[in-house]
Amino acid sequence: MIKIRMPLFITRHVLLALILGGVAGIGFMVFLTEFDHFTSTEAFCTNCHSMELVAEPYRESAHFRPASGVRASCGDCHVSEGVFAATWDHFIGGKDLYNQLFGPDYDDPVIAKLHMPEAAFSAREWFKKRNSATCKRCHVKEAIYGTRPDTVEIHKQDAKDKSCIECHYNLVHAKVPAESVFKRDEWNRMVEQEFDLKRGAADKLLEE
């Protein structure tokens, strides 16, 4: 019978430590996976009233009601793939929780709408830096045919070196202009009109 000899430095204590460390490591990875999964769900994200405001237009979008039946939830679009990248995204996203607790009253629909452009620009930049990786989890450029006869050519030629977000935004949440053409004054006046506020009220709310 073949007897396996352990190296001398592997004592009982070292072996026990390795086993316990391995079990703890597996447990930690399972925790991170489940944590990232749970904190990426719509149910978790919309616990916050301000995020419920964001989710309302999402529920009317093609990402919530797709013809294919494949629904994209919050984390599918806004959390990177892979447990470490996803955990890092949640860690960085902690600043939003801080702002929710100590920043302006985002639960107020007027305040939320006034600050929406900055949130949209930040999200679009996040997508652009990652080359729209989360979009590409579901969408394959070579498989996009659409209903227009030139859809295939647009994606093969015009959009060849572009990230999805550079052309496709305002698909899910409330519409916000591109940052390059955004005008704060026009946005404030639009918010005042939408919520029946006096002219100049939006500017004062932003200063508070």
Side-chain angles (χ1 to χ4, degrees):
M1 182 176 176
I2 300 173
K3 199 169 183 179
I4 299 174
R5 282 177 168 266
M6 300 292 282
L8 293 177
F9 65 88
I10 305 219
T11 63
R12 286 184 180 177
H13 291 94
V14 170
L15 189 60
L16 183 63
L18 287 173
I19 293 172
L20 291 176
V23 171
I26 292 170
F28 182 63
M29 291 300 295
V30 170
F31 167 76
L32 283 184
T33 303
E34 291 301 314
F35 173 80
D36 288 325
H37 176 71
F38 174 68
T39 53
S40 298
T41 60
E42 184 195 343
F44 177 84
C45 294
T46 54
N47 268 329
C48 187
H49 183 62
S50 62
M51 292 307 293
E52 180 60 33
L53 294 173
V54 176
E56 286 173 1
Y58 153 71
R59 295 194 186 105
E60 300 299 322
S61 76
H63 281 75
F64 187 82
R65 301 176 184 278
S68 65
V70 181
R71 177 174 293 169
S73 191
C74 307
D76 294 323
C77 301
H78 295 285
V79 179
S80 300
E81 192 168 15
V83 65
F84 292 114
T87 303
W88 177 250
D89 284 343
H90 282 111
F91 176 74
I92 295 299
K95 73 178 189 313
D96 296 331
L97 177 61
Y98 178 86
N99 289 331
Q100 175 73 30
L101 294 173
F102 303 106
D105 182 11
Y106 295 108
D107 291 346
D108 183 329
V110 177
I111 299 296
K113 195 67 178 276
L114 285 171
H115 288 273
M116 187 179 292
E118 286 74 21
F121 301 150
S122 175
R124 290 170 189 172
E125 188 61 26
W126 184 89
F127 277 92
K128 192 174 178 182
K129 281 183 178 177
R130 289 155 181 78
N131 195 23
S132 302
T134 51
C135 304
K136 295 172 184 174
R137 284 177 183 169
C138 299
H139 302 287
V140 179
K141 187 183 283 187
E142 291 73 19
I144 298 173
Y145 292 94
T147 54
R148 294 180 301 175
D150 57 350
T151 300
V152 175
E153 285 307 309
I154 287 173
H155 285 88
K156 281 184 178 175
Q157 300 300 327
D158 297 352
K160 188 176 180 182
D161 298 317
K162 290 183 178 178
S163 169
C164 309
I165 194 65
E166 291 180 69
C167 299
H168 300 285
Y169 52 87
N170 289 333
L171 297 175
V172 175
H173 302 296
K175 291 185 178 180
V176 174
E179 188 170 10
S180 57
V181 298
F182 174 72
K183 291 182 173 61
R184 169 51 69 181
D185 188 61
E186 287 184 7
W187 185 265
N188 287 2
R189 301 294 81 79
M190 182 203 72
V191 173
E192 288 168 355
Q193 190 172 12
E194 180 178 341
F195 292 95
D196 196 24
L197 302 174
K198 290 182 181 178
R199 186 177 178 83
D203 306 82
K204 290 180 181 176
L205 287 169
L206 277 176
E207 292 170 1
E208 292 177 355

